[in-house]
Amino acid sequence: MEADKKKVMIAMSGGVDSSVACLLLLEQGYQCAGATMHLFSKEKLFSCEALCQSAKDDSTAKDAEAVADRLGIPWQLCCLEKEFDEHVLAPFAACYEAGGTPNPCVLCNQHLKFGALIDQSIAMGCDFIATGHYARIEEKNGRFLLRKAADLSKDQSYVLYTLTQQQLAHVLFPLGGMTKDEVRTIALAHGFGNANKKDSQDICFVPDGDYAATITRYTGKQYPEGDFVDRTGTKLGRHKGFIRYTVGQRKGLGLSLNEPMYVCEKRPATNEVVLCRNEELFSSVLEADHVNWIAFDPPEHPIKAAAKIRYNQVESPATITVTGEGKVRVEFEEPQRAIASGQSVVFYDGEYVLGGGMIV
């Protein structure tokens, strides 16, 4: 079927990437409609300062609608507060309360952008959903493959590892072969008001970077002070609530110690935060669950691959062994620093994503 007979819903964030993605698809002959997700009530999550700043800076829906109007396509605001609360906010808070460090963008992609929004697009009669992500999709031998972006400095394949074959079949990434500079140049040439809009660096519902305050506002709970201890149980001082700390953290502990110490574990049951030396943060093995395989079905035997445990990290050689349904054991050739539960481990073969899962 020709592109001009295909209908596409563009997930428009108000930023330059999704705007240019829409323009490119129109030029390719697709029938496009824009959609912007409304995910949460700022009054419930933002501090007074963040609310004031948001009032000055936030133009997400307005910018998206303006671009849609300029391109002459229909646009709608999709209210997904309930879904966002269930699939992103609640797990985010629960992970911190369990001592982990969550990655909410992965959950949002899985359940909202490529879950609820795909469902809405299908109900509207669309064939595809498209976003401004920097990644590529290829079809080979009847299977859809996820590939890194051509511009590796912008590659977002790490946060897309949850995409299933069914989802990949209905997704378009028009910017996968482009650089950010090329995207901005196109936006400027077409008079987009958001052409020079800065990329968001924060999690959308934590604009001030204060995760603990956001969790406290969301749950209505207070997280009391407790003890900093070393691995032998020796008390080193008092912490201000264990949800305020992440594995590998050194700054902001408020302690005066004889040597540098880092967070290596959080113990919710005893309200303790465990500190250790930097060399003790390294580990060669991790376990992960909720594993999604993209390039092939779960392998019956251990496989060699490159894996990484953080978004901004170079992959490291590892052996991945399936240990149960949706579960794997990852053994790195070189120890990795500060492996944190709740984060994602993603497996690669060169530019292709093999799969990934959540570190437990």
Side-chain angles (χ1 to χ4, degrees), residues 8-14 18 22 32-38 60-61 64-65 68 73-80 113 117-118 120-121 124 126 129-131:
V8 186
M9 174 186 279
I10 319 294
M12 302 182 73
S13 66
S18 56
C22 185
C32 298
T36 300
M37 298 187 297
H38 176 70
T60 297
E65 187 176 16
I73 65 170
W75 173 88
Q76 64 175 311
L77 190 65
C78 296
C79 184
L80 298 172
K113 285 181 183 174
L117 211 55
I118 283 184
Q120 288 202 15
S121 73
M124 292 171 56
C126 294
I129 185 171
T131 72

Side-chain angles (χ1 to χ4, degrees), residues 159-227:
V159 294
L160 298 169
Y161 76 87
T162 62
L163 289 173
T164 65
Q165 287 296 298
Q166 184 178 10
Q167 289 171 331
L168 286 166
H170 293 280
V171 173
L172 299 174
F173 294 138
L175 308 187
M178 304 178 67
T179 66
K180 185 73 176 199
D181 287 342
E182 290 172 336
V183 169
R184 289 199 186 279
T185 297
I186 291 173
L188 283 167
H190 286 79
F192 290 174
N194 59 8
N196 290 313
K197 190 174 183 178
K198 292 183 179 179
D199 292 338
S200 175
Q201 300 297 320
D202 300 308
I203 292 174
C204 65
F205 59 90
V206 193
D208 56 3
D210 192 340
Y211 303 102
T214 298
I215 293 168
T216 298
R217 284 191 290 270
Y218 174 73
T219 63
K221 300 177 184 177
Q222 294 299 317
Y223 301 90
E225 293 185 358
D227 291 326

Side-chain angles (χ1 to χ4, degrees), residues 38-42 45-46 80-81 84 89 204-206:
H38 176 70
L39 300 176
F40 55 88
S41 170
K42 295 175 183 178
L45 299 176
F46 285 16
L80 298 172
E81 282 194 44
F84 191 73
L89 291 178
C204 65
F205 59 90
V206 193

Side-chain angles (χ1 to χ4, degrees), residues 16 19 40 99 115 120 146 148 168 228 261 269 275 281 307 316-317 321:
V16 66
S19 299
F40 55 88
Q120 288 202 15
L146 179 62
K148 290 181 180 178
L168 286 166
F228 281 119
M261 298 288 277
L275 305 182
L281 283 172
S316 184
T321 305

